[in-house]
Amino acid sequence: KAGVTQTPRYLIKTRGQQVTLSCSPISGHRSVSWYQQTPGQGLQFLFEYFSETQRNKGNFPGRFSGRQFSNSRSEMNVSTLELGDSALYLCASRTTVSLRYEQYFGPGTRLTVT
Amino acid sequence: DQQVKQNSPSLSVQEGRISILNCDYTNSMFDYFLWYKKYPAEGPTFLISISSIKDKNEDGRFTVFLNKSAKHLSLHIVPSQPGDSAVYFCAASDLNTGNQFYFGTGTSLTVIP
């Protein structure tokens, strides 16, 4: 099976702009989660989508949003970018048909806000 | 509020010896725990998991130990190999309230040949 893919891999934006990141999960995986990784902060949970519905949301401002499409592909959007939004954004998918909870991560999108 | 903590940012071990990576959590409701390994420029990859009904789970060179009373888990790698050099994250979840996983800040392991 192909792994989780994320596009673009690298992105440079300026403050105030908005950005959309894309994630294609492993075929058959219907749960997609997004994380922000910054130095010293580990992986911070943004949100999880399942069957096109947001199922969980982390403690991030409303500038961070996401959606999931019927084919389980997901996008996340960050509006009015701030310098502190510079981070590695990771997408992860997992199966929901068995009692297995491990997530499979994509390589991430490195966002730099200048 | 960091509910999962990895207090050692880095660890160096000689090849062939045991690597022990530690993780502490604060939420007593956490009932599922995982370890991931991350190489630079790649996403984390799943290593091993453990449910709170167990206190040990083994997979090859990797063993995870869970001490619920101490709210502590550890990952043992025996024997350590240079290819194990990576950042290791522990993660925890309360499966009864959803599937949100809380991650630690990671421990960078260096295995010295």
Side-chain angles (χ1 to χ4, degrees):
Chain A
K1 279 185 179 179
V4 177
T5 58
Q6 291 186 244
T7 56
R9 291 293 310 276
Y10 302 92
L11 205 48
I12 299 175
K13 291 285 189 178
T14 56
R15 276 180 300 176
Q17 287 186 313
Q18 74 161 12
V19 66
T20 299
L21 312 181
S22 181
C23 171
S24 292
I26 290 173
S27 177
H29 287 189
R30 294 167 62 193
S31 166
V32 175
S33 296
W34 289 89
Y35 294 86
Q36 180 194 66
Q37 185 186 9
T38 53
Q41 291 294 315
L43 279 69
Q44 302 289 313
F45 174 76
L46 281 155
F47 26 66
E48 182 208 5
Y49 285 88
F50 175 76
S51 291
E52 303 177 66
T53 301
Q54 188 180 88
R55 196 156 65 167
N56 284 300
K57 190 177 191 306
N59 189 25
F60 277 82
R63 300 185 296 107
F64 292 82
S65 62
R67 59 178 176 168
Q68 186 180 35
F69 302 94
S70 57
N71 61 358
S72 294
R73 191 177 70 84
S74 177
E75 289 180 347
M76 68 162 279
N77 184 77
V78 188
S79 62
T80 320
L81 284 166
E82 300 177 359
L83 294 179
D85 297 334
S86 295
L88 180 67
Y89 290 88
L90 292 160
C91 165
S93 73
R94 72 172 187 88
T95 181
T96 53
V97 297
S98 66
L99 293 178
R100 298 188 67 92
Y101 300 95
E102 65 267 24
Q103 295 174 307
Y104 294 83
F105 284 82
T109 295
R110 172 72 62 185
L111 172 64
T112 302
V113 182
T114 62
Chain B
D1 180 30
Q2 196 75 24
Q3 297 194 49
V4 178
K5 299 177 184 178
Q6 293 176 258
N7 294 317
S8 298
S10 62
L11 175 69
S12 291
V13 172
Q14 290 286 338
E15 180 180 3
R17 304 295 291 269
I18 184 171
S19 294
I20 300 176
L21 296 99
N22 295 304
C23 179
D24 297 296
Y25 60 95
T26 57
N27 188 341
S28 58
M29 299 304 293
F30 285 155
D31 55 5
Y32 200 83
F33 306 86
L34 308 95
W35 283 93
Y36 289 86
K37 176 170 73 172
K38 186 180 186 300
Y39 293 119
E42 296 182 12
T45 55
F46 169 72
L47 266 179
I48 192 168
S49 63
I50 188 167
S51 163
S52 61
I53 62 173
K54 295 185 175 182
D55 54 19
K56 176 183 173 181
N57 189 26
E58 197 170 350
D59 184 0
R61 296 185 299 114
F62 301 92
T63 302
V64 56
F65 294 91
L66 175 62
N67 183 334
K68 291 184 287 293
S69 60
K71 297 194 192 70
H72 177 83
L73 68 156
S74 60
L75 175 68
H76 293 208
I77 306 173
V78 184
S80 301
Q81 300 174 353
D84 296 330
S85 296
V87 177
Y88 289 78
F89 292 96
C90 63
S93 178
D94 173 4
L95 297 181
N96 292 313
T97 60
N99 296 293
Q100 178 174 342
F101 281 88
Y102 297 86
F103 282 76
T105 52
T107 296
S108 178
L109 172 67
T110 302
V111 180
I112 304 164

